Amino acid sequence: MKRILPIAALLLSGCAVSVTNNEVATPQSAQDALRPFYSALNTNLPQAAANPVLSSNETVTRFAFGSCVNENRDMKIWDVIAAQKPQAFLLIGDNVYGDTRTTNSADIPTLTASYRKLGSRIEFDRFRRSVPMMTTWDDHDYGANDAGGTFAFKERAEKIYEAFWNSSAEVKSRPGVYESRIVGPQGKRVQFIILDARFFRSDLAVMPYRDPGPALGWYIPNLDPKASVLGEAQWDWLEGELAKPAELRFIISSTQVITDAHNFEGWTNFPKERDRLYNLLADKGVSNAIFLSGDRHSGGFYKVSNPRIAKPIWDFTSSSLNFAFGKGDGGDREPDPRRTGGLWGVPNFGQIDIDWTAKTVKMSLRKDDGSVIEEQVVQAID
């Protein structure tokens, strides 16, 4: 039974959500409490420039992706990516750094200001007007570092996100920002499955404090059987998407999927959820999926085999577009048997080239001058 509090106390607190017979139902979450406040806010939110549409009938042979764009830093990489003539670009998280200098105000003014600044940058605006884009978010454009489903202001963050990126009706119709598209004619269909690893994610488990702190992060696996990355509604949706026919699939996760080599954020924090992900691929007979990820401010390639999946599973991480944390290969700091090469802490973007005749996918990690850092060619097409 819901606890009933005097109406005056809740009205003064700003937490009133419903009134019945001069009594107010206690909000069951921070989101419940904030909805009346958000409903009264000004809806004049920043919007990115109009974006061309990638035709559903177009045969995709090249697209690019990246993550971690600081709206205040150099933007030359947008012109470099455009020069590669990608048919689409996937911006997959930390699309702005809206949680810096935060006021902790419920309307997240720093997030709105960051989007407005990104939209004003000439290079980004030019790119946005010329290359079809798909997006998801990570923590810094979600509104708080490493935040998940308990983030109090997430519904406001979603509203800001959807306004700026002119999200599809599908995204706007439900909580979270996940969506999917299939592009290309039969025999050359590419499915883009764009996950939301923030809105529904359970809290992270943290190791006990120590000094000095760990070099590779504080998080440990959350083994609670109820812990989730995607939430049940998104899991059900993903199962339905993987049942759709496509010759090649890209599953976009803002955080890394395969690696266990660090204790920062990633699916390594939720090993039971990652097992569920692999098992879902196996149950659906999906062996033509490649993961694309970001978040790490370094780029690299990761590979793992699963006895129930016919082909190796790849995770191609590209991060950061203009906010890298190193100057070269930092792989020695983070040894990882699942990483196939270096861990490149330089500004970078990912490029995917699809050869439908050879049934190959070439994955290129590229510098901000367009030159290749590393490449992998895989037989991923069914």
Side-chain angles (χ1 to χ4, degrees):
M1 178 180 292
K2 290 184 178 180
R3 185 166 58 94
I4 303 300
L5 298 181
I7 186 170
L10 279 176
L11 288 175
L12 287 172
S13 71
C15 294
V17 294
S18 63
V19 179
T20 305
N21 296 328
N22 206 36
E23 293 180 325
V24 179
T26 304
Q28 300 301 295
S29 68
Q31 289 77 38
D32 285 344
L34 284 164
R35 284 179 194 133
F37 170 68
Y38 287 146
S39 68
L41 282 182
N42 189 326
T43 57
N44 183 24
L45 297 173
Q47 296 181 336
N51 189 232
V53 176
L54 177 64
S55 171
S56 296
N57 297 319
E58 186 168 350
T59 299
V60 176
T61 57
R62 174 175 291 178
F63 70 91
F65 77 102
S67 64
C68 304
V69 183
N70 188 305
E71 64 278 5
N72 298 299
R73 297 173 69 91
D74 191 290
M75 291 279 171
K76 67 179 182 181
I77 198 167
W78 292 114
D79 291 335
V80 173
I81 299 170
Q84 297 296 117
K85 300 190 182 303
Q87 293 161 280
F89 184 82
L90 280 59
L91 188 53
I92 65 170
D94 291 342
N95 307 330
V96 294
Y97 281 74
D99 63 335
T100 54
R101 302 181 306 280
T102 180
T103 64
N104 292 314
S105 174
D107 60 344
I108 326 180
T110 55
L111 185 57
T112 304
S114 290
Y115 276 117
R116 187 168 285 112
K117 180 64 178 288
L118 178 65
S120 74
R121 298 300 300 272
I122 294 172
E123 299 91 339
F124 169 78
D125 183 77
R126 180 164 55 232
F127 186 91
R128 171 75 179 175
R129 294 176 188 272
S130 61
V131 180
M133 296 181 72
M134 290 174 268
T135 65
T136 190
W137 57 15
D138 199 36
D139 52 342
H140 298 295
D141 48 344
Y142 182 57
N145 185 50
D146 294 355
T150 58
F151 178 50
F153 309 150
K154 67 181 184 179
E155 292 185 3
R156 179 63 175 176
E158 181 179 12
K159 189 76 171 180
I160 296 168
Y161 173 98
E162 291 171 350
F164 186 80
W165 295 113
N166 190 25
S167 296
S168 66
E170 176 189 15
V171 169
K172 292 178 179 177
S173 70
R174 61 191 176 209
V177 300
Y178 57 95
E179 62 181 326
S180 179
R181 283 200 64 191
I182 295 176
V183 180
Q186 186 172 349
K188 297 180 179 180
R189 292 167 294 193
V190 177
Q191 185 180 36
F192 297 97
I193 299 176
I194 304 174
L195 302 177
D196 182 339
R198 291 288 164 191
F199 198 90
F200 310 96
R201 198 212 67 205
S202 298
D203 290 339
L204 298 163
V206 183
M207 66 180 69
Y209 177 80
R210 67 176 191 255
D211 185 12
L216 295 176
W218 287 94
Y219 301 125
I220 56 178
N222 184 336
L223 301 180
D224 183 344
K226 296 181 180 180
S228 186
V229 174
L230 303 182
E232 287 306 310
Q234 189 175 183
W235 273 115
D236 290 345
W237 168 86
L238 177 58
E239 182 175 0
E241 291 301 315
L242 290 173
K244 296 179 179 178
E247 285 69 44
L248 180 61
R249 306 174 200 268
F250 293 93
I251 302 176
I252 291 83
S253 169
S254 61
T255 58
Q256 291 181 305
V257 178
I258 289 176
T259 183
D260 286 330
H262 60 76
N263 297 108
F264 301 117
E265 285 193 286
W267 286 71
T268 183
N269 308 142
F270 298 91
K272 292 184 178 181
E273 284 287 90
R274 185 171 59 187
D275 287 345
R276 181 177 180 177
L277 182 60
Y278 293 166
N279 287 333
L280 181 57
L281 294 177
D283 291 344
K284 294 297 180 182
V286 172
S287 61
N288 62 351
I290 295 172
F291 290 103
L292 304 179
S293 61
D295 178 63
R296 289 297 314 283
H297 297 264
S298 294
F301 298 95
Y302 300 80
K303 181 174 69 170
V304 69
S305 296
N306 183 289
R308 298 186 60 213
I309 299 174
K311 300 173 186 176
I313 303 169
W314 285 88
D315 183 0
F316 179 9
T317 299
S318 175
S319 171
S320 156
L321 288 164
N322 70 350
F323 196 19
F325 286 170
K327 296 182 179 179
D329 181 4
D332 289 346
R333 178 174 176 264
E334 192 176 306
D336 189 346
R338 297 176 180 176
R339 197 177 62 243
T340 63
L343 184 62
W344 296 93
V346 298
N348 66 77
F349 66 96
Q351 182 170 302
I352 304 292
D353 289 282
I354 304 169
D355 186 331
W356 290 104
T357 301
K359 293 188 178 296
T360 60
V361 176
K362 182 168 68 175
M363 304 182 290
S364 305
L365 184 68
R366 293 175 177 261
K367 293 182 181 179
D368 59 358
D369 62 3
S371 61
V372 174
I373 304 171
E374 284 188 16
E375 285 185 341
Q376 292 286 343
V377 178
V378 298
Q379 297 277 345
I381 301 173
D382 282 350

